[in-house]
Amino acid sequence: DGGITQSPKYLFRKEGQNVTLSCEQNLNHDAMYWYRQDPGQGLRLIYYSQIVNDFQKGDIAEGYSVSREKKESFPLTVTSAQKNPTAFYLCASSINRDNQPQHFGDGTRLSIL
Amino acid sequence: SQQGEEDPQALSIQEGENATMNCSYKTSINNLQWYRQNSGRGLVHLILIRSNEREKHSGRLRVTLDTSKKSSSLLITASRAADTASYFCATDKSSNTGKLIFGQGTTLQVKP
């Protein structure tokens, strides 16, 4: 079955530590996205990538970094510069950038130790 | 600023009743999408309605779009306990960037 896999499901970060969230898709989609969701809130866009080896900042990119070396993979690193990283992180993909429906993974919940 | 704003924030109904959620937005759009999110899970796409469409149906779901009022509504008919979830509208911008802007969602509880 095609889909998006996010791992791990739960992640804990120590002070001053960088952590990386994995996102893999086998849908052959060109575009991939990372969102942050805080309790009771909607989704805010962190980074997005419309094609391999290219990505753009979203609305809340500070303290985060991404790479897109392969079509299937779009990992997100939460750096120590992100002072309030506790949130639910969602990865999504779509066929292309032409405003098509997005397919979501089941998220990673990040907490501070 | 939020492009999509849902109303109400929370809704509680009995099984079998209809549920209506509204979404308002600020700028021109190519399309508007509705998504569902079960607690602790990712979002699932429900319906996409284009700016030149006024109404769309999918099973028990009916979506309307009024571009003059910059608003959309999602109607779930004959609701079931399994419809309990949060529902989000998402809008693009006319520039075809692929970026979606999500509202804060409506939390629906359907009581058996």
Side-chain angles (χ1 to χ4, degrees):
Chain A
D1 285 338
I4 298 183
T5 301
Q6 290 187 241
S7 62
K9 191 168 180 65
Y10 300 96
L11 188 57
F12 298 91
R13 196 192 87 169
K14 295 179 182 178
E15 291 287 339
Q17 187 181 42
N18 293 354
V19 291
T20 297
L21 284 61
S22 171
C23 178
E24 303 277 333
Q25 55 100 357
N26 60 4
L27 298 166
N28 200 32
H29 286 174
D30 283 327
M32 297 187 76
Y33 311 84
W34 273 106
Y35 295 94
R36 170 183 172 136
Q37 185 177 32
D38 292 283
Q41 301 294 313
L43 280 64
R44 291 185 290 168
L45 183 65
I46 305 172
Y47 267 98
Y48 65 106
S49 168
Q50 294 168 340
I51 199 166
V52 176
N53 292 322
D54 186 47
F55 50 82
Q56 287 80 38
K57 292 181 179 179
D59 300 318
I60 54 165
E62 186 174 350
Y64 300 98
S65 66
V66 293
S67 63
R68 186 84 188 278
E69 297 175 1
K70 299 187 299 182
K71 189 175 186 177
E72 302 80 23
S73 179
F74 191 40
L76 173 74
T77 296
V78 183
T79 74
S80 57
Q82 172 49 245
K83 298 307 179 188
N84 184 23
T86 297
F88 190 48
Y89 291 86
L90 287 161
C91 179
S93 71
S94 63
I95 292 174
N96 53 42
R97 68 178 183 181
D98 292 336
N99 306 314
Q100 295 299 313
Q102 293 185 9
H103 298 253
F104 284 79
D106 267 343
T108 293
R109 191 166 299 278
L110 176 62
S111 302
I112 294 289
L113 279 179
Chain B
S1 63
Q2 288 285 353
Q3 169 78 321
E5 296 286 347
E6 285 95 341
D7 170 59
Q9 289 190 346
L11 183 59
S12 182
I13 59 174
Q14 294 295 134
E15 213 167 21
E17 294 179 339
N18 295 343
T20 299
M21 289 158 264
N22 303 296
C23 169
S24 60
Y25 58 92
K26 296 183 175 67
T27 64
S28 297
I29 61 172
N30 282 323
N31 66 51
L32 185 144
Q33 303 179 35
W34 284 91
Y35 289 81
R36 165 196 169 123
Q37 184 181 33
N38 285 66
S39 181
R41 303 294 298 274
L43 276 69
V44 174
H45 179 260
L46 297 176
I47 284 187
L48 181 154
I49 185 165
R50 301 193 186 283
S51 60
N52 61 354
E53 297 175 312
R54 292 296 167 258
E55 188 169 312
K56 207 161 182 180
H57 296 255
S58 176
R60 293 183 296 113
L61 306 181
R62 172 180 163 238
V63 168
T64 62
L65 180 64
D66 186 335
T67 53
S68 66
K69 295 182 179 178
K70 291 187 169 59
S71 68
S72 173
S73 68
L74 170 67
L75 168 67
I76 304 174
T77 60
S79 63
R80 305 166 182 169
D83 294 328
T84 295
S86 293
Y87 293 83
F88 296 89
C89 69
T91 53
D92 65 342
K93 290 185 178 178
S94 299
S95 56
N96 278 343
T97 63
K99 292 170 61 176
L100 293 179
I101 301 175
F102 287 82
Q104 293 188 339
T106 292
T107 299
L108 173 65
Q109 182 186 29
V110 181
K111 299 175 185 175

